[in-house]
Amino acid sequence: MRQFCVIKVFNNNVVLALDKTDKEEAILVGKGLGFNAKTGNLLEGNKAEKIFYFIDKDKVKQLNRFNEDIIGITEEIISMVSRELKEPLNEHIHVALADHIGFTLERLETGLEITNPFLEEIKGLYPKEYDLACKSAVMIEEKFAVDIPDGEKGFIAMHIHSAKIDRELAKTVKSTSMINKMVEIIEQELRLKLDRQDTNYARLIIHLRFALDRIDSEMTIKNPLLARIKEEFSESYKIATEIAEYIKERIGKEPPENELGYLALHIQRIKDSLAEHHIK
């Protein structure tokens, strides 16, 4: 059974401790784990619900930039998210999320409004992460007696998603902002505002997400209906080509025609749905 020597207590449930076997520092999270604990006390590893070791030792040092309350709630959130997802998270979330929560609390204290232009896309693209972000927001609200706005929950969801897929947050933000812009292009061309609750919208943004991943990684897909799509749904295909120009401008890679064909089908589905609605 592993034993840990307490280095620092962040709150009743979170401590920083040294693994006496490996001589590695780790964050331990568990109900009541830090209650009455003092530096130098020994803890049994089996009493912790989660133990987070760090490959990048600087991450532990960086945590010292934040006050104990912020680190404590951050680690409790990460523990909850890891438990719910049943998969490991990239260790960058320990510092990134603590930094984000600290900045959020500062903005809320000064009354600075937090807006998130990608909120609807985030809800559609990352529903599980957004649900966990809502649970995280409740934990922050209870700890600091603040109200976390929906836009902020969206940002937390992006942190969770980035850590889940081991991807830099900047790439997640870029991908989400591009999807937001592509939706705008479709809306402008079709002269309509897409219903964010509609299933066709959900299918569209999920398709755009995976299409961006395929284009960026230069993965090719076959589209046996391409010629027919270009002929029968020429207007939708034209919109798809405009989106392709935008993608090339942003990531420097030209989407293949097969990819545009599938995108045109999604656009056509939206047009058909709109036509049916008008008929009714």
Side-chain angles (χ1 to χ4, degrees), residues 193-242:
K193 185 73 174 174
L194 295 178
D195 180 1
R196 266 52 178 175
Q197 308 305 316
D198 186 69
T199 54
N200 285 326
Y201 170 79
R203 289 172 182 156
L204 171 67
I205 61 171
I206 289 171
H207 175 80
L208 289 172
R209 170 192 165 190
F210 288 110
L212 279 178
D213 287 344
R214 286 191 297 269
I215 294 165
D216 190 45
S217 62
E218 298 182 0
M219 183 189 300
T220 58
I221 56 172
K222 296 286 186 180
N223 190 333
L225 301 175
L226 181 61
R228 184 177 168 189
I229 290 168
K230 292 171 76 171
E231 181 180 350
E232 293 186 17
F233 308 136
S234 57
E235 290 184 9
S236 295
Y237 189 81
K238 181 176 179 295
I239 296 172
T241 60
E242 290 184 29

Side-chain angles (χ1 to χ4, degrees), residues 8-17 25-31 33 49-54 59-64 66-83 89-99 101 136 139-140 143-144:
K8 191 172 186 178
V9 178
F10 295 118
N11 65 24
N12 285 342
N13 305 317
V14 182
V15 301
L16 174 66
E25 290 183 345
I27 296 285
L28 278 65
V29 183
K31 195 166 182 64
L33 201 64
E49 295 172 10
K50 286 288 180 181
I51 300 175
F52 298 108
Y53 292 92
F54 293 85
K59 289 285 188 294
V60 181
K61 295 176 183 176
Q62 290 175 46
L63 286 176
N64 290 325
F66 313 105
N67 73 44
E68 293 172 2
D69 287 337
I70 289 175
I71 296 173
I73 197 66
T74 299
E75 294 304 325
E76 288 188 57
I77 287 171
I78 293 170
S79 178
M80 178 273 293
V81 169
S82 180
R83 186 173 62 249
L89 299 173
N90 185 291
E91 64 183 30
H92 71 67
I93 194 173
H94 293 269
V95 174
L97 187 58
D99 186 54
I101 290 172
S136 303
M139 294 167 68
I140 298 169
K143 176 65 180 178
F144 297 101

Side-chain angles (χ1 to χ4, degrees), residues 13-26:
N13 305 317
V14 182
V15 301
L16 174 66
L18 182 71
D19 185 326
K20 290 182 65 77
T21 303
D22 296 337
K23 305 301 181 186
E24 296 279 351
E25 290 183 345

Side-chain angles (χ1 to χ4, degrees), residues 35-46:
F35 184 69
N36 281 339
K38 301 286 190 299
T39 301
N41 286 171
L42 294 180
L43 291 175
E44 301 295 340
N46 62 355

